[in-house]
Amino acid sequence: MKIATWNVNSIRQRQSLVLDWLKRNEPDLLLLQEIKCEDHLFPASVFEEAGYISHCVGQKSYNGVAVLSRRPVEVLARKLPGLSDPEPPARYIEVRLDSLTVGNLYLPNGNSGGEAGYLGKLEFLDALARHAETMLRADTDFILAGDYNVCPTDRDLAPGSLPATDALVRPESRAAFRRLLWLGLTDAVRALHPDETIYTFWDYQAGSFNRDMGLRIDHLLLSPAVAERLVKAEPDKAERAMPQPSDHVPVMITLD
């Protein structure tokens, strides 16, 4: 089974890139973030012609998440449980494929909105951890994947690419990410590439991609039984060199 996550930074602008990537890689599930459109504007019919069923939680101009699946899935949730806002922004969708539960998330960046905006990021991470605990107690096999907007350690960003005050690297952000790992979840990429320099995002500004001034902020976290099935995990860096690319690249794992 192949499962990938990709912040596409507008599905309508990257539709052809996504279609091409799907044809070349044939994932069973592709989790998309930052689709930047309402549900009725998502190009579901285009992906259906390519062999993929789609489910999305959209929002006008901002945020938005979607799941593309080669086989039917059951939608379990259209928002992250445990948030204080009863109608939160479009940042989470959860599906079940066979016996596997997959949460697709677009975590708040945390750099806008002042300290209140940052607290919203921490609230999302706290709710995510509590949701993971609930699934672990229920012995659920699951993956929580997407754009976490967290560089877990200093090796997950190019030196000098972010100030220490950035929300992606603040101690509280990293501690919240570690909490997920300490629950027993496995960071798929680091499990197989513990010491490599690996990035999943390069800013559009200042020639970041050509200078390899990247960040690793797109993650797939696996519950224990799923982690035992992991055989491959890596980003597709070549996608960042495509014409008019997203600033993120797909990250795909293979399970046996």
Side-chain angles (χ1 to χ4, degrees):
M1 179 182 290
K2 296 193 292 186
I3 299 171
T5 178
W6 192 1
N7 179 323
V8 291
N9 191 13
S10 177
I11 187 59
R12 288 180 290 177
Q13 289 187 33
R14 320 288 175 215
Q15 176 180 303
S16 61
L17 291 177
V18 174
L19 285 168
D20 177 66
W21 194 85
L22 287 171
K23 183 178 181 180
R24 287 184 286 111
N25 292 276
E26 299 185 331
D28 296 280
L29 284 180
L30 175 58
L31 315 177
L32 301 174
Q33 302 91 43
E34 210 171 353
I35 59 173
K36 293 184 176 179
C37 69
E38 296 172 278
D39 291 11
H40 70 280
L41 295 175
F42 187 84
S45 61
V46 174
F47 292 116
E48 186 176 358
E49 290 177 6
Y52 284 84
I53 304 163
S54 62
H55 298 277
C56 69
V57 178
Q59 180 180 332
K60 186 177 181 180
S61 304
Y62 298 99
N63 304 321
V65 289
V67 175
L68 302 181
S69 175
R70 298 178 72 182
R71 294 187 285 120
V73 298
E74 178 186 359
V75 177
L76 302 178
R78 296 176 61 85
K79 60 184 178 182
L80 179 63
L83 295 175
S84 60
D85 186 349
E87 297 296 333
R91 292 184 175 274
Y92 190 81
I93 185 171
E94 185 174 288
V95 301
R96 181 185 291 129
L97 178 61
D98 299 329
S99 62
L100 180 65
T101 296
V102 181
N104 174 18
L105 62 104
Y106 175 40
L107 209 139
N109 179 285
N111 282 311
S112 61
E115 196 60 18
Y118 184 62
L119 290 176
K121 179 191 189 85
L122 296 182
E123 183 196 11
F124 194 104
L125 282 162
D126 178 65
L128 191 66
R130 286 185 281 113
H131 185 45
E133 286 182 284
T134 298
M135 290 193 288
L136 287 167
R137 285 197 298 269
D139 202 25
T140 301
D141 292 341
F142 66 90
I143 298 173
L144 294 174
D147 179 0
Y148 277 74
N149 269 315
V150 176
C151 299
T153 70
D154 286 348
R155 64 183 173 177
D156 297 308
L157 70 159
S161 56
L162 291 177
T165 54
D166 193 284
L168 278 64
V169 298
R170 282 176 62 171
E172 300 91 339
S173 302
R174 287 178 165 179
F177 189 87
R178 287 196 302 273
R179 176 183 173 188
L180 290 163
L181 301 182
W182 291 347
L183 287 173
L185 305 189
T186 294
D187 179 344
V189 168
R190 279 297 174 220
L192 298 184
H193 307 279
D195 301 314
E196 294 180 36
T197 297
I198 293 177
Y199 305 133
T200 65
F201 167 94
W202 293 261
D203 196 274
Y204 292 126
Q205 306 300 318
S208 294
F209 183 62
N210 291 333
R211 296 163 56 215
D212 202 24
M213 295 290 285
L215 313 173
R216 191 177 77 94
I217 56 178
D218 303 272
H219 310 294
L220 297 101
L221 301 188
L222 319 180
S223 66
V226 179
E228 292 178 1
R229 299 168 53 195
L230 181 66
V231 295
K232 189 175 182 180
E234 59 186 44
D236 188 351
K237 185 178 179 180
E239 200 64 30
R240 185 62 175 79
M242 292 290 189
Q244 296 185 313
S246 171
D247 40 10
H248 297 250
V249 298
V251 185
M252 186 160 70
I253 66 170
T254 302
L255 306 175
D256 65 12

